[in-house]
Amino acid sequence: MTSESTAPHLRVATYNVHGCVGMDRQRSESRIAEVIASMSADIVGLQELDLGRSRSAHADQAALIAAQLGWKYHFHPAMRSGEEQYGNAIVSRFPIGLKRADEMPGVAPWYCREKRIAIWIQAETDLGSVHVINSHFGLGRNERELQAELLIGPTWLGSVPPDEPAVLLGDFNSVRTSRAHRLIAGRLRDVRTLVRPARAFRTFPTRFPSLGVDHIFVNAALHPTQLKVHRTLLARLASDHFPLVCELTLI
């Protein structure tokens, strides 16, 4: 039998990049790409990216990050205003194909009227074909529950055969005691619960990490061998979230 240390593995991460604006209030797509490169990740779900927005000098942030890494990417907007777009992306060192990208349900609270989306890609990795879904849930409790129900439902993860590896990751704005988290954990496995020693793996905010709102879930075809919050000096500066990084093998 192949040991875990020599078995093929896949390293995935979720990273809210805060529009590539760091804690020094400077915008730098290059710095975000450096953080990603330092994780030795293979596939990363990114949240809070701009495309063509005046506040970001009209940059295509996902494209700039992927180009610096030499990776593939797919960006999908959650919101549009004229030529300006704001949304999420998946960047990957492996070939990827888009399966689905849709707006999610839910009425956002008055203090944060953002629309929310999810991106589903299929990546051809060293583990074979792997489904990866990236999302950024809303700030309202009711909308988060609706968004969780959608992603575990029959049109999304519910349609993936159980023997096909699947990963759901993102900033879910939810702690582990929340109903949204419990809904997802009823169908998938939170990698925090599968690694030892058990830890909180807090990712937000970078100045004083006190909340674990960024999550990685896997189905029964995958097993985590390592999990860490990527707390480097550069990551502490580059965004208000630390990346959460998980190494996976096949069951």
Side-chain angles (χ1 to χ4, degrees):
M1 181 179 291
T2 305
S3 70
E4 284 188 351
S5 61
T6 59
H9 65 268
L10 177 69
R11 183 169 288 192
V12 302
T14 179
Y15 190 14
N16 184 322
V17 300
H18 195 234
C20 301
V21 176
M23 303 311 292
D24 57 358
R25 300 186 179 180
Q26 299 301 305
R27 179 181 57 83
S28 176
E29 294 82 16
S30 178
R31 186 163 58 184
I32 293 295
E34 288 180 46
V35 172
I36 294 171
S38 70
M39 306 178 202
S40 299
D42 299 307
I43 301 173
V44 184
L46 302 175
Q47 303 88 38
E48 297 192 10
L49 290 160
D50 288 349
L51 191 163
R53 299 188 74 180
S54 57
R55 72 173 188 177
S56 303
H58 303 282
D60 183 342
Q61 293 186 320
L64 289 172
I65 292 166
Q68 184 169 330
L69 293 165
W71 287 12
K72 294 80 178 170
Y73 78 100
H74 183 83
F75 168 85
H76 192 79
M79 297 192 295
R80 301 174 189 259
S81 178
E83 297 299 313
E84 297 192 349
Q85 300 181 31
Y86 170 79
N88 306 330
I90 295 175
V91 294
S92 171
R93 73 170 70 249
F94 294 113
I96 58 174
L98 179 66
K99 295 279 289 183
R100 187 166 192 164
D102 284 331
E103 184 177 328
M104 297 194 296
V107 177
W110 61 267
Y111 52 85
C112 185
R113 291 293 191 188
E114 286 187 24
K115 294 180 180 178
R116 305 291 174 164
I117 57 103
I119 304 170
W120 176 2
I121 61 98
Q122 198 158 3
E124 301 307 318
T125 76
D126 291 343
L127 301 184
S129 187
V130 178
H131 300 273
V132 180
I133 296 174
N134 173 37
S135 190
H136 186 192
F137 285 11
L139 295 182
R141 183 180 63 184
N142 290 338
E143 66 170 325
R144 290 196 301 267
E145 292 176 9
L146 289 172
Q147 289 154 8
E149 288 172 350
L150 173 74
L151 294 185
I152 61 174
T155 59
W156 284 79
L157 283 159
S159 67
V160 177
D163 60 338
E164 294 185 12
V167 181
L168 172 63
L169 47 72
D171 174 359
F172 297 124
N173 278 313
S174 305
V175 296
R176 289 179 58 196
T177 54
S178 68
R179 176 164 168 74
H181 183 280
R182 294 198 305 272
L183 284 167
I184 299 171
R187 296 288 185 90
L188 298 173
R189 301 179 302 156
D190 182 346
V191 295
R192 280 179 172 85
T193 67
L194 301 173
V195 295
R196 296 292 180 270
R199 290 170 43 205
F201 297 99
R202 298 182 178 95
T203 53
F204 177 81
T206 51
R207 288 196 188 279
F208 187 77
S210 55
L211 295 172
V213 294
D214 302 282
H215 299 283
I216 301 172
F217 295 88
V218 297
N219 69 355
L222 291 167
H223 174 71
T225 57
Q226 295 180 29
L227 180 65
K228 68 174 183 177
V229 178
H230 190 69
R231 291 188 184 177
T232 64
L233 290 176
L234 187 61
R236 185 179 298 276
L237 182 64
S239 176
D240 61 346
H241 286 244
F242 283 114
L244 182 65
V245 187
C246 185
E247 185 171 288
L248 301 165
T249 60
L250 294 172
I251 293 291

